[in-house]
Amino acid sequence: MDFEVRRSPVVLISGGGLGGLLLGILLERAGIQYHIFERASIIKPLGSVMVLGSTILPVFEQLGLLEDLERFAVPFKSTTLHSEKTDGKLKQLAILGMKNEKDIAGYQSQTFVRHQLYNLLLSRIPPENITLGKKVLKVVERDDRIMIYCSDKSAYVGDILVGADGSYSAIRQCIYREMAKEKLLPKADAEDLVAGYTCMVGATTRLDVEKYPKLIGDHCQSEAVLGCESRSWSCWGISDHRICWSLKVQYKTLEEAKRQMFMSSSWHSGSHPAMIKEFENLPCPLGGTLGDLFEMTPKGTISKVYLEHKMYTTWYYKRSVLLGDACHKMLPAAGQGAVNALQDAVILANCLYDLEDVSQESVTAAFKRYYDQRYTHAKTQFENSELAAKITTGLNWTDRWTRTLYLNLLPPSAQQGIFAKTTTYQPQVAFLPLVPFRGTGTVLPQVPSTRYTAEQESYERGGKEKMNRRASKLEIEYPADICFLPPRLQ
Ligand SMILES: Cc1cc2nc3c(=O)[nH]c(=O)nc-3n(C[C@H](O)[C@H](O)[C@H](O)COP(=O)(O)OP(=O)(O)OC[C@H]3O[C@@H](n4cnc5c(N)ncnc54)[C@H](O)[C@@H]3O)c2cc1C
Ligand SMILES: *[C@@H]1O[C@H](CO)[C@@H](O)[C@H](O)[C@H]1NC(C)=O
Ligand SMILES: *[C@@H]1O[C@H](CO)[C@@H](O)[C@H](O)[C@H]1NC(C)=O
């Protein structure tokens, strides 16, 4: 086909989280018009640790962001798993992690506080292409275009809508409601998210290395403890001699989980004194007690979150498409949630770059290519996250049994084989020069962009790309007949 007459789509992105921001950066590079609508009006520096694995780092290198990332990150190698004895002492159970990751996979995983990555990505989005304090409520398709309505009664129109708005995605709820009406929604997708844990996270200020000598070193000290009852906790030494900590309480029954979640959803900042009290006398594997860490943690960075998990099978409908937590909410134990949201953004941008025109037919074909390239990989990481959670935080008897089997019966070489296998999927941006694979392991082949390949050939012949990009007005008059109801599935 002829790329010279193609019209570039206008892409609306609901949610400026990690996935939405990376998609914006990629569309900027692709020359595709986009706008990000983010509900939050201020960005809070929540103190949650994040590990970014080797499978997404090639993209950071392609975008010239790897050095910026490495400036605030420390390399991650392994997690030491302990169990709490009845006398309050810790017993080391295992060291979990991939050996020689950099040699095999070409990159070493990196650890930092989540908002550091957030700020890096946000700094690459021109302010005129993101609006904060915009909560998307409703989606309407009309005349081959898609409209979104926000809580401040503004409305915007585009060709494609991306729901990058996290685990309670308004876009997912809107399109699922439509699909349910049309009897197109699989039953499992209509069910609620399931939570297994309450989790609280925070990050200390700079600590005294005389008290915490383990913080001196060139990589992240990561330690996890399985408590005597339904409690588990972990600590990571990150850059600037700081410690990120996380506390988890596992629910015993589904009913308990539902009761806990009834009051609220998503992230809550605040000091949560009851949960703090429950943990403060427990030992911190990096030294002292957890209470010592709480004292060194600015209250505003502490937040409480329910750890839910669900793999959705429906990722797109008409002109809307989902990415990240909106379509696969993973447990954090394997450090895969953000990586997969970012990989979604990469593949979706690749597919939009190759979009033939903005007809519904072409849009659906592009969404299908995205889904076909991503679903299986995301599902595998979803399952790995479930297993990692059982091994590193699970405390009921079935989890303990799984852990015993994994740690005692699976030979270390088999464990390393599993780690190595997960690093073979390293998708890159197909419309930018690829970075060569420098590892000794293997990687899956990249899916090339037909348009980029054609453009490269045309450049080589001395031709010039002529994009017929329609300058569209994004903001539209707000129609009087729309009523603003918060989206609900049932
Ligand atoms: C405790 C914890 C630790 C974690 N650790 C790791 C880790 O080490 N490694 C890793 O890879 N992953 C980790 N994760 C997972 C990771 O944080 C998420 O998977 C990732 O942030 C998902 O990105 P996202 O862009 O899909 O969603 P989010 O980052 O949740 O972004 C969604 C955005 O959409 C906005 N939004 C929501 N609704 C609307 C609306 N109606 N209109 C407009 N905007 C809206 C929200 O304000 C938010 O900014 C962890 C998660 C938790 C809870
Ligand atoms: C960014 O916003 C400006 C102003 O609204 C717009 O003209 C431009 O096309 C946008 N850039 C992209 C890549 O969408
Ligand atoms: C234990 O927790 C896991 C989730 O980690 C859950 O799948 C399992 O059903 C639970 N087992 C029991 C006996 O409650």
Side-chain angles (χ1 to χ4, degrees), residues 15 17-19 38-39 50-51 114 134 136 165 324-325 335 337-339:
L18 298 174
E38 166 56 43
R39 175 182 63 185
M50 182 159 275
V51 181
R114 176 200 177 104
K134 278 276 182 201
V136 180
D165 44 0
D325 282 8
V339 169

Side-chain angles (χ1 to χ4, degrees), residues 320-340:
S320 305
V321 63
L322 305 173
L323 69 73
D325 282 8
C327 53
H328 46 69
K329 175 70 180 158
M330 302 179 189
L331 289 172
Q336 282 292 335
V339 169
N340 277 270

Side-chain angles (χ1 to χ4, degrees), residues 317-487:
Y317 181 59
K318 291 188 178 166
R319 291 181 175 273
S320 305
V321 63
L322 305 173
L323 69 73
D325 282 8
C327 53
H328 46 69
K329 175 70 180 158
M330 302 179 189
L331 289 172
Q336 282 292 335
V339 169
N340 277 270
L342 299 173
Q343 288 176 336
D344 287 351
V346 169
I347 301 301
L348 183 58
N350 288 350
C351 293
L352 294 183
Y353 193 79
D354 278 350
L355 189 71
E356 311 212 336
D357 52 52
V358 296
S359 68
Q360 180 64 65
E361 216 181 351
S362 302
V363 167
T364 305
F367 288 172
K368 184 171 184 306
R369 282 197 296 274
Y370 157 67
Y371 183 82
D372 289 348
Q373 286 179 59
R374 284 294 305 145
Y375 182 79
T376 330
H377 291 291
K379 186 152 191 289
T380 304
Q381 290 310 329
F382 176 84
E383 285 158 4
N384 284 347
S385 302
E386 300 286 294
L387 178 63
K390 287 182 202 294
I391 292 165
T392 61
T393 53
L395 292 165
N396 68 27
W397 68 266
T398 43
D399 290 347
R400 287 179 194 273
W401 204 67
T402 309
R403 175 163 51 246
T404 307
L405 285 180
Y406 182 89
L407 296 181
N408 300 319
L409 295 183
L410 196 64
S413 61
Q415 291 180 24
Q416 289 304 316
I418 296 173
F419 285 123
K421 189 154 183 279
T422 65
T423 65
T424 58
Y425 178 61
Q426 302 191 0
Q428 294 194 31
V429 184
F431 52 87
L432 293 175
L434 297 178
V435 294
F437 180 61
R438 290 185 291 265
T440 56
T442 49
V443 276
L444 298 173
Q446 301 292 330
V447 177
S449 155
T450 44
R451 176 178 156 200
Y452 184 71
T453 310
E455 283 166 354
Q456 291 304 100
E457 283 163 6
S458 149
Y459 280 131
E460 274 158 29
R461 286 197 309 268
K464 241 185 173 264
E465 178 203 16
K466 277 194 246 82
M467 283 276 290
N468 182 11
R469 222 171 275 144
R470 189 177 79 184
S472 294
K473 200 161 150 257
L474 274 165
E475 190 148 13
I476 55 160
E477 298 267 310
Y478 158 58
D481 61 319
I482 300 295
C483 70
F484 292 97
L485 292 172

Side-chain angles (χ1 to χ4, degrees), residues 28 32-34 128-129:
E28 187 88 41
I32 295 175
Q33 214 188 339
Y34 71 94
E128 63 269 27
N129 301 97

Side-chain angles (χ1 to χ4, degrees), residues 52 54 75 77 81 84 105 119 121 126 128 161 170-171 190 226 240 258 282 306 323 356 410 433 437 442 457:
L52 217 48
S54 48
K77 291 191 172 155
L81 186 64
E84 182 198 10
N119 290 344
L121 297 181
E128 63 269 27
L161 170 63
I171 308 306
L226 297 151
D240 295 330
K258 286 191 176 148
L282 295 170
Y306 297 102
L323 69 73
E356 311 212 336
L410 196 64
F437 180 61
T442 49
E457 283 163 6

Side-chain angles (χ1 to χ4, degrees), residues 7-11 32-34 145 159-160 352 355 358:
R7 174 166 90 68
S8 172
V10 174
V11 180
I32 295 175
Q33 214 188 339
Y34 71 94
R145 305 211 79 191
D159 301 298
I160 283 172
L352 294 183
L355 189 71
V358 296

